[in-house]
Amino acid sequence: MTETVEIVTFALNPDVSAARFVELSRQTEDFVRALPGFLHRRLSQGADGRWTDCVVWTDAAAAEAAARAFESADCAAALMAAIAPDSLRMRHEAVHWQM
């Protein structure tokens, strides 16, 4: 099986600070860690202010199931409310090489 990377890019709503968003992200940790196929996650912010949430899953099926499960998770509502809705982009990519 091929590992799958879930890449979510977005901007925050103007009233949400970086520190607040990191705290909201931390509140999803237990939920995400418990999902089948989770390997690791990294949250970053670019110089342009846009954010990237990058999660690596064991395979595409795990990534897709996790995305569906996250939509209805209690911890997800506050996190999603912090994101500017029109800015959100998500894609899944197969890992072909890593070092």
Side-chain angles (χ1 to χ4, degrees):
M1 292 194 171
T2 302
E3 289 179 359
T4 297
V5 180
E6 179 178 273
I7 302 165
V8 184
T9 58
F10 52 89
L12 299 181
N13 284 317
D15 61 335
V16 179
S17 70
R20 175 66 180 144
F21 189 73
V22 170
E23 178 55 33
L24 290 169
S25 296
R26 286 185 176 140
Q27 292 173 17
T28 69
E29 184 173 350
D30 290 342
F31 175 79
V32 174
R33 278 190 187 279
L35 291 167
F38 171 77
L39 294 175
H40 59 87
R41 181 180 186 188
R42 179 171 291 149
L43 178 66
S44 60
Q45 183 183 26
D48 63 356
R50 290 190 57 80
W51 290 76
T52 301
D53 194 349
C54 182
V55 187
V56 180
W57 301 96
T58 53
D59 55 49
E64 291 164 9
R68 286 190 303 274
F70 193 77
E71 290 176 1
S72 60
D74 291 339
C75 62
L79 183 80
M80 295 308 293
I83 295 172
D86 292 342
S87 72
L88 185 72
R89 302 289 180 268
M90 181 174 80
R91 66 184 193 272
H92 291 123
E93 299 180 355
V95 175
H96 291 280
W97 182 76
Q98 61 185 346
M99 196 171 98

